[in-house]
Amino acid sequence: MSFWTDILAYVLTIWSLCRYYAPALGFLMFAVGVNSSEKDFIEAFKRPDAIFTGYVGQFVVKPLLGYIFGIIAVTVFGLPTPLGAGIMLVSCVSGAQLSNYATFLTDPPLAPLSIVMTSLSTATAVFVTPMLSLLLIGKRLPVDVVGMVSSILQIVIAPITAGLLLNRLFPRLCEAMRPFLPPLSVLDTACCVGAPLAININSVLSPFGLTVSLLIVAFHLSAFIAGYFLSGSLFHKAPDVKALQRTLSFETGMQSSLLALALANRFFQDPLVSVPPAISTVIMSLMGFALVMIWAKKKE
């Protein structure tokens, strides 16, 4: 069994290192585009209050939680300061594209709204993330503006546009494709979750791994809950309040931990700073899709 586990970890590591992660996320966005229309995105922009709430959840609520759990890591659990900084760093980055697909699986009509929220947080992260990192950690991190824009174009805009155009110009082809998209998307999602685990397994198994993992679980769980109840209190009169709560919960709870990991590896000398982001890439994905299964089952 160990042999096959090692083989799987090796394959997923190679898959991740070979830059297939971004195209894999792009395929999920393409699947959303095939199942959507331009009208869905027009409707999404008609809800600026929900978009603003998602932004507040991402860049106000989440950093506050990151700061609290970072302090707890150092003062309560006695962990090294770089580990606390790593938790704070995770809270400073933009939303995860996987949150868009999670929303699509639970509430398809709100997937365009989720995509708009994530794209906005990613686009503005080039300014907000350095400011938050300076405020919480005391270190200003330069973020690659061109890289961020390129990421949005490659992973979100281009695949969704391709799916929308295909749906508009070749509806019969899209109809024939749709039965194959769910199983392919499940396999794709499994790789997107498994690859970070394979490549960051040493961080998960490090001496601090268990304690940091529990703190990261508590951190993301608090963010999921905060997003859910914040939107519930603000939009309690909305006809689709439950769907909005799920959408904003995903948006607040799921973070671009891979970006945090890249920043930790590049701009911090202490390797311990990268441990929380590495663990977060795994925990965030597993928790998000666990919620997908729970909420999808409840809807049935």
Side-chain angles (χ1 to χ4, degrees), residues 154-168:
Q154 292 179 39
I155 297 175
V156 181
I157 305 299
I160 288 176
T161 302
L164 289 171
L165 287 173
L166 200 66
N167 195 15
R168 186 178 183 85

Side-chain angles (χ1 to χ4, degrees), residues 27-50:
F27 175 78
L28 295 179
M29 296 300 100
F30 172 77
V32 173
V34 168
N35 288 279
S36 305
S37 68
E38 306 94 303
K39 292 180 181 178
D40 297 325
F41 286 89
I42 293 172
E43 288 300 316
F45 281 104
K46 291 180 180 178
R47 307 186 78 162
D49 50 350

